[in-house]
DNA sequence: CATTTTAGTTACTTTTAGGTTACTACTTTT
DNA sequence: AAAAGTAGTAACCTAAAAGTAACTAAAATG
């Protein structure tokens, strides 16, 4: 989601600027179950390429939704977790999840 | 939003397939205040081109979120309104709206 | 000394979304 | 006879998002 609809002060669109895009919600939703390593996320979401995963994680970090912990180990270990801001999306995800379950997943 | 993450049964991503994209939430959110004509929507969201507006409305209609009424008049009159399914997104929008207000619009 | 392991990066290509401009249909109004 | 009004469509173009494949660092393991 670009920022050209910033001129429209739509609070819903504002939120989508943070969690819009093909993968962010999936990543964030997975992180609601706790801290995860890069590789764990990649395995859990096999259809995302590592390049794109890296990009999305960077953006989520830049936007303050997730926190990145790097351990100075070899081989490297990196863990991602939700920040308070990320956790504050909780209710949003809950409603989206409910809707998706009721109207999409349990429909087909 | 494409459907390549359909394989992942993420209820949140499922919902985004319906309301993801740059404009859909803005359109739907506007329609929560009642039936609107094509031109009214276009005026209200001036940064969207008419081509894209048409496209988005078609997709929303295809997905069963909005209903299109065409009056056989000249000049033409077309009205769009939320279907029951569209209205059922109410809670989702409410939470997204809250989050956007608290964390984006009132922050800057 | 070759291999494995993890979390990436780089360069390049493809796909998708969105945008621009010009055009149409049909009636009413001037 | 010309212009205005509405809701589009068609052809074309651009930018952004996503994908692919090959590569890297540095230590540990066999």
């Amino acid at each position: 989601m670009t920022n050209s609809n910033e001129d429209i002060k739509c609070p819903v669109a504002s939120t989508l600027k943070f969690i819009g895009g093909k993968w962010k919600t999936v990543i964030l939703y997975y992180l609601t179950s706790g801290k995860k390593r890069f590789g764990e996320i990649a395995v859990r979401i096999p259809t995302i390429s590592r390049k794109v995963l890296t990009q999305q994680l960077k953006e989520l970090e830049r936007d303050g939704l997730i926190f990145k912990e790097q351990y100075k180990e070899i081989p490297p270990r990196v863990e991602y977790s939700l920040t308070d801001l990320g956790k504050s999306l909780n209710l949003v995800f809950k409603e989206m999840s409910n809707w998706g379950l009721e109207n999409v997943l349990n429909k087909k």
Side-chain angles (χ1 to χ4, degrees), chain A:
Chain A
M1 174 139 300
T2 63
N3 52 357
S4 66
N5 45 8
E6 209 159 10
D7 12 59
I8 302 162
K9 288 269 175 286
C10 172
V12 171
S14 304
T15 300
L16 266 193
K17 276 189 293 196
F18 283 76
I19 62 171
K22 199 168 167 183
W23 300 110
K24 284 184 183 169
T25 50
V26 184
I27 296 169
L28 290 170
Y29 196 54
Y30 181 42
L31 288 181
T32 58
S33 61
K35 194 180 283 190
K36 297 285 182 295
R37 296 185 62 170
F38 182 87
E40 287 182 284
I41 306 175
V43 165
R44 176 65 171 254
I45 313 174
T47 42
I48 192 176
S49 71
R50 298 192 152 226
K51 189 204 88 173
V52 174
L53 178 54
T54 304
Q55 279 176 352
Q56 303 285 296
L57 288 169
K58 268 186 187 156
E59 288 181 23
L60 289 169
E61 195 196 357
R62 178 203 66 195
D63 292 342
L65 298 179
I66 65 173
F67 176 68
K68 177 179 182 176
E69 254 174 308
Q70 294 205 63
Y71 298 87
K72 294 237 162 193
E73 299 175 4
I74 298 292
R77 184 154 66 105
V78 178
E79 287 179 347
Y80 293 93
S81 51
L82 293 179
T83 60
D84 284 346
L85 187 63
K87 287 175 190 160
S88 75
L89 282 162
N90 190 22
L91 286 173
V92 174
F93 286 140
K94 203 165 155 187
E95 291 301 339
M96 288 181 75
S97 171
N98 282 347
W99 196 89
L101 283 171
E102 283 172 30
N103 299 287
V104 187
L105 298 178
N106 292 344
K107 271 282 160 61
K108 288 184 178 170

